Amino acid sequence: MESTSEMVAFPLLLTPIESNYRVCTIPYRFPSDNPRKPTPTELQWIDLFYNSIPSFKKRAESDTTVADAPAKAQKFAQRYSEILEDLKKDPESHGGPPDCILLCRLREQVLRELGFRDIFKKVKDEENAKAISLFEDVVCLNDAIEDGTKRLENLVKGIFAGNIFDLGSAQLAEVFSRDGMSFLASCQNLVSRPWVIDDLDTFKVKWSKKSWKKAVIFVDNSGADIILGILPFARELLRRGTQVVLAANDLPSINDVTYPELIEIISKLKDGTGKLAGIDTSNLLIANSGNDLPVIDLTSVSQELAYLSSDADLVVLEGMGRAIETNLYAQFKCDSLKIGMVKHPEVAQFLGGRLYDCVFKYNEVLS
């Protein structure tokens, strides 16, 4: 028997995958670049990851599940800094040249080797509890909007507002630790449309005319993101008769929600009859994506997710890591939606947009 943990390609990627899929959106280097010399883009991104070290170190220091956490957190900061310095000297060290997947993977490896499993666990639990207490109110506000396309627009704004809770962004981690984040204020303070990629009007027309039989949603962060952003949207799809598969990370990474955490969140939100604020959830499935990073390479997902996704006709990737930094240009055999907020100046610069701009990219596949 093959091992059940063997990873496979996501079945809805356009084939042949080799010529149609490139996981990282922003090219850090081109074939003509000197392999021994870092490119300006590589240096820019290495610095971005370098700037995240203090906030990761701070979280690691206060991880009560790890013995000698402060000393090990110091070791993490030192080791990861050294790796980044190595990559600046020789882009081909540490399995390079670097891209956003490698830079995330190396950071996770250093943390895990030192015994840190989930340094954001405490803040995730706190944010989940807060968001769970607000869920009914958010859903009621949405349900009160009678016009279906206006309700959709409100749900989409909720996804963006929730997606702000991202401790992988050094600036947002700073704002968050200072005064937290209000979901409703975030909804009202989104940058004005048109967004940097804005297919919302097209999607609204499709939404009013078309219903999908099965949607796979790759979810992102804990707290407001999953609970007040994605779940009200998923609930609306369920209400319209769409089967919904929520794909969450296997292992913890930054403040991303994991598969076990998502199961627990949904069990807390359901009422005694198993409904989600009055909507039947028998068509709601939770899948383990097999992923362990805040970004995702769709050539490597769990067999469980591949099996559940094979007959889907809508793929939704949410969050800056999955929908923008990786997979913005991914092509699928079915309709797809990439939705996320731009939280790094480097991404804003690449897209030609503003910091905290929004990406809403819809591709329809004409069958």
Side-chain angles (χ1 to χ4, degrees):
M1 275 292 284
E2 279 187 347
S3 150
T4 51
S5 62
E6 199 172 308
M7 305 286 269
V8 295
F10 186 61
L12 297 171
L13 281 172
L14 198 63
T15 50
I17 292 170
E18 303 70 43
S19 54
N20 281 301
Y21 182 68
R22 188 175 161 276
V23 59
C24 292
T25 302
I26 302 173
Y28 287 15
R29 65 167 46 237
F30 296 96
S32 56
D33 290 319
N34 180 346
R36 313 298 297 178
K37 197 168 173 276
T39 66
T41 308
E42 282 170 347
L43 291 171
Q44 191 182 35
W45 279 86
I46 289 167
D47 283 342
L48 184 147
F49 277 80
Y50 189 83
N51 292 338
S52 76
I53 293 174
S55 65
F56 276 71
K57 177 174 173 265
K58 197 172 159 191
R59 296 276 168 201
E61 280 168 351
S62 58
D63 186 342
T64 53
T65 66
V66 175
D68 304 325
K72 286 177 179 164
Q74 179 59 43
K75 209 171 267 185
F76 154 75
Q78 190 183 336
R79 229 181 252 180
Y80 189 50
S81 302
E82 283 165 5
I83 289 172
L84 297 179
E85 289 303 330
D86 289 347
L87 286 165
K88 281 185 177 183
K89 293 188 197 94
D90 175 10
E92 297 201 317
S93 62
H94 301 284
D99 57 23
C100 63
I101 294 224
L102 182 68
L103 292 169
C104 287
R105 184 164 302 292
L106 290 167
R107 181 172 62 194
E108 291 298 339
Q109 271 171 356
V110 176
L111 285 167
R112 288 168 192 162
E113 280 165 13
L114 289 163
F116 293 108
R117 304 299 301 153
D118 192 357
I119 60 173
F120 291 87
K121 182 69 181 150
K122 185 171 177 285
V123 70
K124 286 192 295 182
D125 289 348
E126 287 165 2
E127 287 306 302
N128 287 339
K130 257 190 253 177
I132 285 170
S133 71
L134 295 171
F135 178 75
E136 291 281 342
D137 292 347
V138 168
V139 163
C140 286
L141 284 172
N142 280 313
D143 286 358
I145 302 168
E146 283 175 25
D147 180 308
T149 52
K150 285 196 175 121
R151 186 160 66 241
L152 169 69
E153 188 163 346
N154 207 53
L155 287 161
V156 167
K157 286 181 173 171
I159 294 174
F160 287 127
N163 196 231
I164 291 174
F165 175 55
D166 185 345
L167 301 180
S169 156
Q171 283 147 306
L172 286 172
E174 180 59 39
V175 171
F176 182 81
S177 61
R178 204 169 53 237
D179 46 33
M181 289 185 181
S182 153
F183 176 73
L184 291 173
S186 301
C187 278
Q188 284 150 6
N189 296 332
L190 292 178
V191 298
S192 57
R193 293 185 63 200
W195 300 316
V196 65
I197 299 177
D198 193 336
D199 297 330
L200 180 56
D201 292 340
T202 312
F203 187 70
K204 284 199 293 199
V205 172
K206 293 299 161 200
W207 181 268
S208 63
K209 294 179 177 169
K210 181 174 187 170
S211 65
W212 294 271
K213 67 177 192 298
K214 190 179 204 177
V216 178
I217 305 177
F218 287 87
V219 301
D220 190 22
N221 304 319
S222 302
D225 194 350
I226 180 68
I227 297 163
L228 306 180
I230 287 295
L231 285 178
F233 177 70
R235 176 180 170 273
E236 190 71 14
L237 284 167
L238 292 169
R239 192 212 295 258
R240 291 160 52 93
T242 304
Q243 191 174 28
V244 177
V245 179
L246 298 176
N249 264 19
D250 179 28
L251 297 178
S253 187
I254 316 185
N255 57 321
D256 289 13
V257 68
T258 62
Y259 170 70
E261 286 166 348
L262 187 51
I263 289 174
E264 190 185 330
I265 286 166
I266 288 174
S267 72
K268 285 180 178 169
L269 289 172
K270 282 181 186 175
D271 65 16
T273 63
K275 289 184 172 171
L276 196 59
I279 300 297
D280 181 44
T281 56
S282 54
N283 262 337
L284 179 65
L285 305 168
I286 316 298
N288 184 332
S289 68
N291 190 43
D292 62 351
L293 297 175
V295 287
I296 191 166
D297 178 351
L298 292 176
T299 62
S300 183
V301 301
S302 70
Q303 292 184 23
E304 174 204 5
L305 177 63
Y307 173 75
L308 288 174
S309 307
S310 56
D311 59 343
D313 51 358
L314 177 66
V315 173
V316 182
L317 287 140
E318 186 246 349
M320 185 171 69
R322 289 167 191 77
I324 304 176
E325 292 176 350
T326 53
N327 301 302
L328 183 63
Y329 303 128
Q331 297 179 73
F332 297 95
K333 296 171 183 171
C334 63
D335 293 358
S336 64
L337 191 55
K338 286 95 172 219
I339 178 165
M341 184 176 273
V342 176
K343 290 166 283 196
H344 287 151
E346 294 77 2
V347 179
Q349 185 189 337
F350 173 78
L351 294 173
R354 305 155 284 184
L355 190 60
Y356 310 124
D357 214 326
C358 299
V359 165
F360 190 94
K361 189 176 196 309
Y362 173 60
N363 289 94
E364 185 180 21
V365 169
L366 301 167
S367 50

